[in-house]
Amino acid sequence: CWLMEHEDIVNRPSHYTQYAIEPITFIMTNKLAFHVGNIIKYAVRAGSKSYPNQTPEQSEITDLRKAMRYCEMRINQLESQDEL
């Protein structure tokens, strides 16, 4: 069957299922805020997910920058800045 031979990128993507606890399970079980959940998600998968037209190192940097962006957005929100 085609589904058995290929990764289930919707329900069980390998860049998350490599851990004992999937990030989404940890995030939801602990009722973490949206920004905290995304910081965890991007930091955990950094180095495991490939982006088109990027080297493995560039893909890792992309996810680390995404995590940093959520940190920056929260800081901006706490500082009452107009733009997140």
Side-chain angles (χ1 to χ4, degrees), residues 55-73:
T55 66
E57 292 80 11
Q58 290 169 328
S59 291
E60 182 173 359
I61 290 168
T62 295
D63 277 336
L64 293 172
R65 284 190 173 142
K66 287 180 180 185
M68 289 171 47
R69 179 66 182 124
Y70 278 95
C71 290
E72 291 168 353
M73 290 169 63

Side-chain angles (χ1 to χ4, degrees), residues 32-84:
L32 300 178
F34 181 79
H35 69 281
V36 175
N38 275 335
I39 292 165
I40 290 168
K41 175 181 76 169
Y42 290 121
V44 165
R45 80 175 191 197
S48 298
K49 181 176 180 179
S50 297
Y51 289 95
N53 303 315
Q54 291 189 1
T55 66
E57 292 80 11
Q58 290 169 328
S59 291
E60 182 173 359
I61 290 168
T62 295
D63 277 336
L64 293 172
R65 284 190 173 142
K66 287 180 180 185
M68 289 171 47
R69 179 66 182 124
Y70 278 95
C71 290
E72 291 168 353
M73 290 169 63
R74 178 61 177 152
I75 290 167
N76 291 345
Q77 185 180 42
L78 292 169
E79 292 177 342
S80 299
Q81 295 186 19
D82 288 337
E83 188 171 325
L84 295 178

